[in-house]
Amino acid sequence: MTIDLGTTARDIARQVQAGESVQDVADALLERIDRYDNHIQAFATVRPDAVRAEATWLDARRDQGARLPLHGVPVGVKDIIDVAGWPTMAGFEPFQNNIADHDAAIVEALRAQGAFVIGKTHTTQFAVGDPAPTRNPWDLEKSPAGSSAGSGAAVAAGMAPVTLGSQTAGSMLRPAAFNGVVGFKPTFGWFPLDGVLPLCWSLDHLGIYAEDVSDVFLVYDAITGNIGKPVAYPSATPRIGLLTEFLEMSSPDVASHLRSVAANLSSEGFEVVETSLPKPFELIFAVHQVIFAAEMSALHGSNLDRHRAYYGPRIATAVDAGRLLPAGGLVHAQRLRRALTETFDRFLSTWDALLFPTASTEPCDISETGDRRFQILATLLGLPAISLPTGLSENRLPIATQLIGQRNEDRRLLAMAERITEVISLIGKPDLSRLD
Amino acid sequence: MLRRPDWLVSHTCRFFGKDQPVKLTRDSTTLAIERALRSSSELAYGAERTEEIAEQIRHLAEMLHELAQSRLDLTGIPPDTTGIKDRTARS
C-alpha cells in the first residue's frame, strides 16, 4: 500500500476493511518515517518490531471477521501519553527508561476501535516552553510550535494520518496552525486524562491532529463512543461571531486572511458578524497565567529541586517564579475563572461559533514556540476549538482559522467545520521533495 | 460593621518576603507587586537566581495586577476546581 501526503485515516480504514494488509500499512509508514524523520524529528520513539507485531494481530482480527471503524489506522502519540511497553519521556532525560505498564485511557479507546500506535512524538519538555528538536516540514528553519511539536509535524509530513496532542495553554492549536494541519481540542473533560503526564490539572486537554476535519470527527467519535450516532447540524444559516480584538493583535497578513475567510463564509450563506469579547482579553489571559503558573509549580516544584540539571531553562524559570505566587492570588484567579466561564457560556449561547485566527503570526523562528495568547481562551474556559489551515502567508507558510463552539457541543462544531471546508479550501501540503 | 464592597477585594492576599508584608489590592501598582515577589524570591532562592527569573517575576506581577482590578463578591462565586473534579471522575 502507498501512503503519501494526504492519505487519510478513512482511506486506510476503508482499504483495510476491503482486504488490504495492516502489515503493509505499517511498513509503508515506517518507510516514510525512515525517509523523512531524520530531517523533521517528529518522533521521539519508533519501535518497528512492536508496530509490526500489532499490525499482524490486527490482520488476524480482520481475517477472523472484525471490521473496526479505525481498523489499521496508525496513530502517533505525544510523548506525555502512556503506551504500554513504550517509554514516556516527556523530553526529560531521567525518564528515558520510564516504560509505561498500561495504555492511557485514550490510547486504549483508540486501540479498541482498531487503531495502532506508529510512534511516540516529540514534545517540548513536560509540554512547556523549551523547544522540542522537531522542525517545521514547511521550512526546517521555522518552528513547528509547541508543545505538541512532533504530533503536528508528523501529520504535516504524512508520517502519520492521525496523532494525539495536548493543550494546557496553546499546545494543540498553535502546532496545528504552524504545521498547516487540522487540530481539534474538545470540551474539557471529554477526553480521558488517565495515563497522561499532567501539567496543570484544571487546564490539561488532549486533542487530535489529522489531515482533514472528517478524520478528526471519525477519531473523536471513536474515542467518545459516538460512531454512528446522529449529529445535530448547525442551522441553515450558522451565526458566527468574528472576534475583532484578535484581528487587531494579529500580524497584517493573518488579519487580512481572516477577514477574507469571514467574507467568503458570508458569501456562502453563513451569517458572520463582527463582535467583541464580553470581558477584556487581558483579564482572561491573566487568569490563565496565574492558574497555569500555580498548578505547574505545585506539580514540578519538588522534581525540579531533585533534578534541576535536567530541566530546560524556560520551565525551570517558570516553576521557580510560580512558586512565589501567594495562595490568595490563585484563589482569586479561580473565582474569576468561574465568573468568566458563566459569562462566556451566556455569550456563546447567541452564536454557533466564534471565529478568529488560531495564531497571531505565521510560524516563527525555530528558537521559539510562538505566541500562546490566541489559544488560551478555549483552554481556560474549557470550550471546544478547532484550527483549520486555510491560508498561506507571503512567505508560503501556513495561516490558520480558529473556531470555538459552545460547551459540550463538540460534534456540532465539528459538523460546522466540515461544512466550512466544503466552501473554503484547506491549504495543500509542504513540498518534501527537497528532503529526498 | 464592614461595608461589603470594600471588604471584597481589599485583602486579596499578602506577600511575605524579606521586607514588610505587602497587600495585593486594587490600588497595588505592578511595581509594588513585583517588588514583593522579588523580595520573596530573594528569601527563597537568593539574589542571583532572582535575577535569572526576573522576567517571569515581572510577568506574574503584571498578571496579578490585572486580576486585582476585578472585584468579586466574597459571598458569591466559589473557586473553579471543576477541572480537577472532572479529571478524577473520568480517570
Side-chain angles (χ1 to χ4, degrees):
Chain A
M1 178 175 183
T2 303
I3 292 188
D4 209 338
L5 287 174
T7 302
T8 66
R10 301 187 311 289
D11 293 335
I12 293 171
R14 204 177 300 121
Q15 290 189 48
V16 167
Q17 286 162 4
E20 182 72 57
S21 152
V22 182
Q23 191 69 246
D24 286 350
V25 173
D27 283 340
L29 214 54
L30 288 170
E31 185 184 290
R32 210 172 154 79
I33 291 169
D34 196 42
R35 190 164 153 200
Y36 293 118
D37 204 43
N38 56 333
H39 300 285
I40 294 169
Q41 299 185 63
F43 287 93
T45 310
V46 178
R47 300 172 63 222
D49 290 347
V51 168
R52 290 194 179 100
E54 195 170 358
T56 303
W57 181 76
L58 283 166
D59 277 335
R61 286 201 69 190
R62 196 263 326 280
D63 293 345
Q64 290 162 2
R67 296 287 185 276
L68 300 164
L70 298 179
H71 211 128
V73 172
V75 177
V77 179
K78 184 176 180 177
D79 201 17
I80 61 166
I81 303 170
D82 283 349
V83 175
W86 295 58
T88 303
M89 298 187 288
F92 185 59
E93 200 181 319
F95 282 4
Q96 275 186 341
N97 297 313
N98 176 34
I99 309 297
D101 292 333
H102 298 91
D103 282 341
I106 194 165
V107 173
E108 193 181 345
L110 287 170
R111 278 182 157 154
Q113 298 294 335
F116 70 95
V117 174
I118 190 71
K120 298 291 295 287
T121 55
H122 273 302
T123 172
T124 62
Q125 192 180 69
F126 291 120
V128 189
D130 297 285
T134 309
R135 292 172 174 271
N136 192 318
W138 291 83
D139 179 341
L140 298 182
E141 296 309 312
K142 295 293 180 187
S143 171
S147 62
S148 310
S151 291
V155 172
M159 296 190 288
V162 173
T163 55
L164 297 177
S166 71
Q167 174 157 314
T168 309
S171 292
M172 268 303 304
L173 297 172
R174 198 165 70 260
F178 279 17
N179 290 291
V181 301
V182 177
F184 174 74
K185 176 199 87 59
T187 299
F188 185 92
W190 277 99
F191 283 177
L193 288 161
D194 186 31
V196 180
L197 194 65
L199 175 56
C200 300
W201 299 277
S202 77
L203 293 167
D204 292 345
H205 296 72
L206 295 178
I208 304 163
Y209 295 107
E211 294 282 347
D212 60 20
V213 179
S214 298
D215 266 10
V216 169
F217 212 155
L218 174 67
V219 174
Y220 176 88
D221 278 355
I223 293 167
T224 55
N226 277 308
I227 284 185
K229 292 187 182 168
V231 184
Y233 279 94
S235 56
T237 310
R239 193 157 185 272
I240 294 178
L242 176 64
L243 293 173
T244 51
E245 292 97 330
F246 290 101
L247 300 183
E248 288 156 17
M249 292 191 280
S250 300
S251 65
D253 51 354
V254 169
S256 157
H257 173 69
L258 256 288
R259 287 203 180 279
S260 129
V261 167
N264 285 346
L265 290 175
S266 292
S267 68
E268 294 289 344
F270 290 77
E271 183 189 355
V272 182
V273 181
E274 290 195 5
T275 187
S276 295
L277 293 167
K279 291 287 179 184
F281 175 74
E282 291 74 15
L283 177 63
I284 296 160
F285 186 62
V287 170
H288 175 276
Q289 293 291 284
V290 168
I291 293 173
F292 183 97
E295 291 194 21
M296 174 182 60
S297 300
L299 198 142
H300 277 285
S302 57
N303 197 46
L304 174 62
D305 289 339
R306 277 198 302 274
H307 299 292
R308 186 170 286 274
Y310 296 102
Y311 267 75
R314 294 180 200 204
I315 181 172
T317 303
V319 170
D320 275 343
R323 286 196 280 190
L324 304 171
L325 280 169
L330 171 63
V331 171
H332 192 52
Q334 288 174 322
R335 296 185 69 230
L336 285 166
R337 178 184 183 176
R338 186 181 292 270
L340 286 170
T341 300
E342 289 171 8
T343 301
F344 269 85
D345 283 348
R346 278 195 302 275
F347 176 64
L348 261 161
S349 69
T350 63
W351 302 98
D352 288 301
L354 301 175
L355 174 75
F356 58 110
T358 306
S360 60
T361 65
E362 65 177 29
C364 61
D365 184 79
I366 196 156
S367 61
E368 302 290 332
T369 66
D371 176 4
R372 62 195 182 280
R373 291 174 302 164
F374 284 32
Q375 306 92 45
I376 273 169
L377 180 62
T379 306
L380 178 72
L381 305 177
L383 298 167
I386 191 163
S387 177
L388 304 174
T390 48
L392 289 172
S393 68
E394 282 182 10
N395 297 320
R396 307 291 299 164
L397 293 168
I399 295 177
T401 298
Q402 180 175 183
L403 291 154
I404 289 183
Q406 295 172 1
R407 184 176 310 283
N408 297 322
E409 294 291 350
D410 301 20
R411 299 182 84 228
R412 195 156 161 244
L413 176 64
L414 287 167
M416 187 178 351
E418 260 187 335
R419 191 162 149 192
I420 286 173
T421 56
E422 286 167 12
V423 296
I424 293 180
S425 304
L426 301 185
I427 57 173
K429 295 292 169 187
D431 175 15
L432 299 183
S433 61
R434 67 193 191 284
L435 306 180
D436 285 326
Chain B
M1 187 177 168
L2 288 168
R3 287 192 303 122
R4 284 181 82 220
D6 287 344
W7 183 56
L8 299 183
V9 289
S10 60
H11 291 79
T12 301
C13 55
R14 285 178 169 206
F15 299 94
F16 298 94
K18 291 198 305 184
D19 307 327
Q20 289 294 308
V22 176
K23 292 173 188 173
L24 174 62
T25 73
R26 272 186 107 182
D27 301 325
S28 309
T29 64
T30 304
L31 197 62
I33 300 168
E34 184 182 343
R35 219 166 24 229
L37 287 172
R38 282 187 69 101
S39 172
S40 301
S41 179
E42 284 174 17
L43 196 64
Y45 311 123
E48 191 181 336
R49 183 61 178 156
T50 298
E51 284 312 311
E52 288 168 358
I53 66 173
E55 195 180 320
Q56 281 290 334
I57 287 176
R58 194 167 305 121
H59 175 64
L60 289 181
E62 286 167 6
M63 299 299 104
L64 286 170
H65 177 261
E66 183 67 41
L67 295 192
Q69 307 311 305
S70 292
R71 283 169 175 263
L72 282 177
D73 189 327
L74 289 182
T75 61
I77 299 166
D80 182 356
T81 54
T82 312
I84 296 168
K85 187 180 72 185
D86 280 2
R87 185 181 192 113
T88 308
R90 289 172 187 278
S91 293

